[in-house]
């Protein structure tokens, strides 16, 4: 009987994944990862608790209940230092640069499909598994069946060789089916809500959380059209391109969006209107390229954010970057976010967005 070590997180997806693997005849071992410690990491406020149990401890308790329910062993491993070094430090450095980081991609790259694999091998794993909505087929990373839950975007920075002997048990079913299975077999996590927000922040207030680690540096809010100062921001790390709520312009009722950030001058640029032209671009450059497919295509599709739709793109290759050209009606392409490339259902690679262009000129306000 082949042995599978499963990342058992305390959520419904990994819980059902464990059940499916059992039904398929595998010997299943659960491994719970503890990646964050509020006290050890210097977090002094902003931690909301459920009763007297912090959310991560509640997750472990739920994972243990699932393991007991299914009759499988569960182990617990701390990756707190590794997470700080490889994920959270990157997150903070990107914020300092005025960019919008995506730590979930780095968590998958450095923790779930690196450190986790090492620990799984110590437990004698023939395979590892997670509750991601994705598929591996003939060595290719494919989108999950449920287009609303597909998570290949977050897996696109994982090195291709790391997907060897990886199983995604829920990639062939929908979220509704996962919930139905959980209810049918009376899993303790059947009705548990999905986690939202950034992995280590969870349901906490983002701005309060960040203040524990980065000094607040208020500055001017400037109308990108008139170049006039119209307010004060609470620190550039608190805003992202396309944001239209909680920008902080006192008494301003007209619809407005964040369209850019200047870290040298500490300026937050906003634009007024229902659909500002300043949010649109037609080219970006990406770096830190991770290839998963074969060859370097000249045409494919791309997602610029997890929830964004695929857009057709043309690729031009440089020494350490790629120029990604896309339709002019594309909105909200943001430095620091991932540009994930697809060939149909196959995720073929990714890079992180650096510079944004329109009509051949770099956008000065981003």
């Amino acid at each position: 009987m082949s042995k599978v070590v499963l990342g058992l997180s305390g959520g419904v997806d990994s819980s059902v994944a464990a059940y499916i693997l059992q039904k398929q005849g595998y010997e299943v071992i659960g491994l719970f990862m503890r990646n964050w410690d509020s006290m050890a990491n210097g977090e002094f406020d902003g931690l909301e608790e459920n009763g007297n149990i912090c959310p991560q401890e509640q997750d472990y308790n739920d994972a243990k209940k699932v393991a007991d329910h299914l009759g499988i062993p569960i182990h617990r491993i701390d990756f707190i230092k590794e997470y700080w070094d490889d994920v959270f430090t990157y997150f903070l450095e990107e914020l300092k640069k005025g960019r919008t980081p995506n730590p979930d991609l780095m968590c998958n790259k450095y923790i779930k499909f690196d450190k986790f694999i090492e620990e799984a091998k110590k437990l004698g794993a023939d395979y590892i598994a997670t509750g991601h909505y994705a598929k591996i087929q003939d060595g290719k990373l494919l989108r999950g069946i449920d287009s609303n839950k597909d998570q290949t975007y977050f897996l696109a920075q994982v090195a291709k060789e790391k997907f060897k002997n990886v199983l995604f048990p829920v990639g062939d079913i929908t979220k509704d089916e996962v919930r139905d299975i959980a209810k049918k077999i009376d899993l303790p996590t059947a009705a548990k809500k999905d986690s939202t927000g950034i992995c280590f922040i969870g349901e906490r207030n983002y701005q309060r959380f960040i203040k524990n680690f980065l000094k607040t540096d208020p500055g001017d809010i400037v109308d990108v059209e008139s170049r006039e100062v119209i307010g004060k921001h609470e620190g550039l790390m608190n805003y992202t391109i396309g944001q239209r709520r909680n920008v902080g312009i006192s008494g301003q009722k007209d619809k407005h969006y964040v369209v850019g950030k200047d870290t040298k001058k500490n300026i937050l640029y906003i634009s007024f209107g229902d659909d500002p032209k300043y949010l649109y671009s037609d080219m970006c450059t990406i770096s830190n390229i991770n290839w998963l497919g074969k060859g370097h295509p000249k045409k494919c599709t791309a997602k610029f954010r997890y929830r964004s739709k695929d857009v057709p793109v043309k690729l031009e290759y440089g020494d350490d970057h790629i120029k990604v050209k896309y339709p002019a009606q594309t909105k909200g392409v943001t430095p620091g976010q991932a540009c994930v490339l697809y060939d149909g259902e196959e995720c073929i690679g990714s890079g992180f967005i650096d510079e944004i262009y329109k009509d051949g000129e770099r956008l000065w306000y981003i």
Side-chain angles (χ1 to χ4, degrees):
M1 182 184 294
S2 295
K3 184 182 294 185
V4 179
V5 174
L6 166 74
L8 198 57
S9 67
V12 67
D13 299 326
S14 62
S15 302
V16 171
Y19 170 74
I20 291 173
L21 290 167
Q22 271 191 321
K23 296 291 287 184
Q24 291 174 344
Y26 292 104
E27 177 188 351
V28 182
I29 297 174
L31 183 57
F32 179 87
M33 291 172 280
R34 183 170 177 259
N35 298 329
W36 188 258
D37 185 309
S38 297
M39 294 303 294
N41 288 336
E43 183 187 348
F44 303 112
D45 58 30
L47 178 62
E48 296 174 7
E49 295 187 347
N50 179 14
N52 293 317
I53 303 176
C54 75
Q56 195 165 63
E57 287 304 308
Q58 184 61 55
D59 287 339
Y60 174 69
N61 290 342
D62 290 341
K64 192 173 186 308
K65 289 177 183 177
V66 169
D68 292 342
H69 185 81
L70 296 175
I72 63 174
I74 183 170
H75 299 263
R76 177 171 171 156
I77 183 73
D78 280 0
F79 290 131
I80 295 168
K81 182 181 184 302
E82 293 85 352
Y83 194 93
W84 180 277
D85 292 344
D86 296 326
V87 181
F88 193 64
T89 298
Y90 145 83
F91 175 75
L92 294 180
E93 290 302 315
E94 288 288 279
L95 288 179
K96 290 177 185 177
K97 296 175 185 175
R99 290 157 62 98
T100 303
N102 199 317
D104 294 311
L105 277 88
M106 307 307 276
C107 180
N108 282 325
K109 180 176 183 176
Y110 291 115
I111 306 299
K112 294 180 181 176
F113 292 89
D114 187 13
K115 301 302 180 184
F116 179 89
I117 291 176
E118 293 177 7
E119 290 301 318
K121 288 180 178 179
K122 293 178 184 178
L123 294 173
D126 298 301
Y127 299 93
I128 74 154
T130 69
H132 284 96
Y133 287 84
K135 298 192 294 181
I136 298 290
Q137 185 175 308
D138 299 325
K140 299 177 180 179
L141 177 62
L142 304 179
R143 303 183 209 244
I145 291 292
D146 191 333
S147 59
N148 290 321
K149 297 298 295 183
D150 168 59
Q151 292 174 306
T152 51
Y153 182 91
F154 297 114
L155 297 168
Q157 275 286 306
V158 176
K160 185 175 182 177
E161 63 270 17
K162 298 292 185 178
F163 288 122
K164 185 179 180 181
N165 298 326
V166 168
L167 304 174
F168 295 125
V170 301
D172 286 311
I173 58 178
T174 67
K175 182 71 178 194
D176 287 343
E177 289 174 307
V178 165
R179 289 286 184 191
D180 288 343
I181 292 171
K183 291 175 183 176
K184 184 178 179 180
I185 63 171
D186 200 25
L187 281 176
T189 54
K192 187 175 181 178
K193 293 182 179 180
D194 291 343
S195 60
T196 60
I198 297 172
C199 46
F200 47 79
I201 298 175
E203 306 297 333
R204 282 169 274 179
N205 180 282
Y206 174 81
Q207 292 190 12
R208 278 167 44 205
F209 175 84
I210 291 301
K211 284 180 181 178
N212 290 300
F213 306 98
L214 294 179
K215 180 182 177 182
T216 301
D217 188 14
D220 291 334
I221 299 176
V222 172
D223 183 338
V224 71
E225 191 84 43
S226 68
R227 312 287 180 91
E228 295 179 356
V229 176
I230 58 174
K232 292 288 183 179
H233 65 73
E234 296 294 324
L236 294 178
M237 73 276 195
N238 293 313
Y239 308 88
T240 187
I241 306 302
Q243 181 177 333
R244 64 184 181 91
R245 293 186 177 90
N246 302 318
V247 176
I249 307 176
S250 178
Q252 182 55 252
K253 295 182 179 180
D254 292 337
K255 188 174 288 186
H256 51 278
Y257 293 82
V258 173
V259 296
K261 295 189 272 188
D262 185 330
T263 55
K264 292 181 180 179
K265 298 179 180 179
N266 196 24
I267 292 174
L268 183 73
Y269 289 105
I270 68 102
S271 182
F272 291 91
D274 292 331
D275 195 20
K277 65 180 181 180
Y278 296 94
L279 286 174
Y280 290 86
S281 59
D282 56 26
M283 189 183 85
C284 69
T285 59
I286 62 174
S287 59
N288 296 305
I289 314 299
N290 181 54
W291 285 110
L292 297 170
K294 292 182 178 180
H296 295 174
K298 293 183 178 180
K299 293 182 179 181
C300 59
T301 64
K303 288 171 72 76
F304 294 106
R305 294 197 184 197
Y306 172 51
R307 290 297 184 187
S308 68
K309 294 182 179 180
D310 282 45
V311 297
V313 297
K314 296 179 181 179
L315 307 180
E316 294 182 4
Y317 296 88
D319 292 336
D320 59 356
H321 70 278
I322 298 175
K323 291 181 179 179
V324 182
K325 297 182 177 181
Y326 43 85
Q329 65 267 29
T330 304
K331 182 166 69 172
V333 178
T334 304
Q337 287 283 294
C339 169
V340 179
L341 306 173
Y342 292 88
D343 179 4
E345 294 301 298
E346 182 184 1
C347 179
I348 60 175
S350 69
F352 288 105
I353 300 164
D354 291 321
E355 298 177 344
I356 315 294
Y357 295 80
K358 188 174 182 179
D359 298 328
E361 295 185 2
R362 182 182 175 186
L363 298 186
W364 61 268
Y365 49 86
I366 295 184

